């Protein structure tokens, strides 16, 4: 049996499942799960759970796990959810079986930590400022005012934040304009800023169990975040790309540092240099896979079924 943790909506997970000839159980972010019983003795062990779609599933029989987002959710209160998380993680993470991806805790991987590791491995990074002070932000803005300006992106993977008045979308990278800077209060929530690099092209890299699959993304206008164009594909071209061996070696060391054997990395190519932006342990794969005909669903399915 194969256990798949996944985001609620992910076409690539569906494609992998279509390639499987083995029994599997998929647990999505919003799926309600019930732990029927966990029983351990010197002679035997058993862990039985059920979901809305399956009953009496014996997880002792799993031979491989794919972590691609997702979590275990009891459907109860916060305390019970935490109990489920601790108990389930203790079981699945200790099993000596093949695992693709990683069950991520917020303190284990974050943008700053990964960026600093990439820098330590010899990859170039954009000039970065993290602050909640308008005065420091303005100084940073003035440094790049005569160049390409600065941008802001989210610190956490959570794309939304809600208060009593508004729902804020942190999903898209945006440029800090004079108007935004003028309206910014003197003190604000800690935020992530970088110099804007006008790339010759951007690179999305998929890393699966020691192999790289890269795509060059050419944007033919001044769009800051190419993801806003994926629905229409206007002024956007994606083609397979071979990273230089020395860049792959440095990038692989970053993945290894955080014990990741699955994920996506974002790079930029500018003036004969490669700039590291970030690694996402559950990054979107489908749009790259489909554009370049990599057929990664077959590769992931084979790894899960082989259990090696």
């Amino acid at each position: 049996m194969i256990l798949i943790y996944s985001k609620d909506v992910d076409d690539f997970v569906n494609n992998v499942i279509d390639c499987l000839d083995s029994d599997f159980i998929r647990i999505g972010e919003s799926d309600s799960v019930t732990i029927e019983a966990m029983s351990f003795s010197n002679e035997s062990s058993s862990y039985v759970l059920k979901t809305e779609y399956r009953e009496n599933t014996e997880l002792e029989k799993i031979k491989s796990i794919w972590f691609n987002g997702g979590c275990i959710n009891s459907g109860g209160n916060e305390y019970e959810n935490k109990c489920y998380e601790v108990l389930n993680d203790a079981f699945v993470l200790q099993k000596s079986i093949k695992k693709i991806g990683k069950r991520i805790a917020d303190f284990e991987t974050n943008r700053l930590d990964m960026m600093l590791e990439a820098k330590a491995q010899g990859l170039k990074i954009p000039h970065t400022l993290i602050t909640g002070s308008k005065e420091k932000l303005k100084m940073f803005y003035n440094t790049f005012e005569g160049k390409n300006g600065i941008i802001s992106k989210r610190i956490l993977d959570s794309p939304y934040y809600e208060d009593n008045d508004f729902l804020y979308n942190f999903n898209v990278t945006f440029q800090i304009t004079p108007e935004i800077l003028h309206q910014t209060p003197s003190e604000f929530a800690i935020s992530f800023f970088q110099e804007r690099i006008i790339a010759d092209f951007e690179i999305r890299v998929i890393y699966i169990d020691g192999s790289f699959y890269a795509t060059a993304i050419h944007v033919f206008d001044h769009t800051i975040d190419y993801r806003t164009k994926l629905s229409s594909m206007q002024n956007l071209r994606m083609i397979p790309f071979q990273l230089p061996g020395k860049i792959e070696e440095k990038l692989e060391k970053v993945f290894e540092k955080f014990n990741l054997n699955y994920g996506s990395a974002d790079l930029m190519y500018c003036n004969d240099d490669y700039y590291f932006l970030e690694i996402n342990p559950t990054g979107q794969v489908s749009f790259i896979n489909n554009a370049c005909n990599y057929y990664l669903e077959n590769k992931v399915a084979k790894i899960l079924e082989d259990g090696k």
Side-chain angles (χ1 to χ4, degrees), residues 45-300:
S45 299
S46 177
Y47 174 20
V48 180
L49 57 73
K50 71 175 181 180
T51 70
E52 300 172 64
Y53 312 102
R54 292 186 60 124
E55 292 189 359
N56 300 321
T57 301
E58 175 57 82
L59 287 195
E60 272 292 344
K61 297 180 180 179
I62 59 175
K63 64 179 181 180
S64 58
I65 307 174
W66 181 18
F67 296 104
N68 190 35
C71 58
I72 188 164
N73 173 24
S74 72
N77 57 39
E78 184 176 349
Y79 172 77
E80 188 175 28
N81 277 335
K82 189 63 179 178
C83 288
Y84 267 48
E85 179 184 326
V86 169
L87 294 169
N88 189 75
D89 283 356
F91 177 82
V92 300
L93 297 182
Q94 291 298 323
K95 287 189 72 66
S96 298
I97 57 177
K98 181 64 180 180
K99 300 180 179 74
I100 301 178
K102 184 181 179 184
R103 180 82 169 92
I104 300 296
D106 288 340
F107 69 87
E108 291 184 283
T109 59
N110 60 72
R111 279 174 170 75
L112 179 60
D113 204 8
M114 290 182 171
M115 187 175 65
L116 293 178
E117 180 60 28
K119 178 184 175 182
Q121 296 298 339
L123 292 167
K124 287 199 169 185
I125 61 172
H127 193 158
T128 301
L129 173 71
I130 300 173
T131 188
S133 164
K134 180 176 182 177
E135 180 181 358
K136 290 181 172 57
L137 173 59
K138 189 173 182 180
M139 292 173 61
F140 188 64
Y141 176 88
N142 291 338
T143 300
F144 296 98
E145 186 175 12
K147 301 177 183 178
N148 297 317
I150 63 174
I151 52 117
S152 179
K153 59 175 66 175
R154 67 192 189 203
I155 295 176
L156 302 178
D157 284 335
S158 301
Y160 300 106
Y161 168 75
E162 186 173 8
D163 62 18
N164 293 330
D165 300 313
F166 299 102
L167 175 65
Y168 301 88
N169 183 352
F170 293 132
N171 194 43
V172 177
T173 299
F174 62 93
Q175 182 144 5
I176 300 298
T177 63
E179 292 76 20
I180 291 176
L181 188 62
H182 176 72
Q183 295 175 21
T184 300
S186 58
E187 300 291 336
F188 51 89
I190 192 78
S191 300
F192 192 104
F193 305 97
Q194 284 184 330
E195 65 170 308
R196 183 187 178 192
I197 295 173
I198 305 297
D200 298 331
F201 53 88
E202 300 191 34
I203 306 167
R204 171 61 67 94
V205 184
I206 308 303
Y207 181 70
I208 302 176
D209 214 25
S211 298
F212 287 98
Y213 307 89
T215 300
I217 303 170
H218 297 264
V219 182
F220 300 106
D221 57 24
H222 298 294
T223 300
I224 293 175
D225 193 330
Y226 69 82
R227 292 173 300 173
T228 61
K229 291 184 167 293
L230 292 177
S231 59
S232 66
M233 296 297 289
Q234 292 183 348
N235 294 317
L236 188 69
R237 186 185 181 206
M238 295 185 288
I239 57 176
F241 183 77
Q242 180 62 57
L243 284 170
K246 62 179 182 180
I247 299 298
E248 285 191 350
E249 290 175 8
K250 294 174 181 179
L251 196 55
E252 186 163 33
K253 288 180 180 178
V254 181
F255 276 97
E256 290 175 348
K257 169 71 175 182
F258 297 98
N259 298 316
L260 295 171
N261 65 354
Y262 176 84
S264 66
D266 289 332
L267 308 175
M268 281 186 168
Y269 181 80
C270 178
N271 297 328
D272 297 325
D273 277 323
Y274 292 85
Y275 287 83
F276 174 91
L277 300 180
E278 63 183 67
I279 284 176
N280 189 331
T282 61
Q284 291 296 323
V285 172
S286 287
F287 73 98
I288 296 298
N289 189 40
N290 296 337
C292 297
N293 295 318
Y294 279 138
Y295 300 104
L296 298 180
E297 61 272 22
N298 294 313
K299 301 178 189 298
V300 173

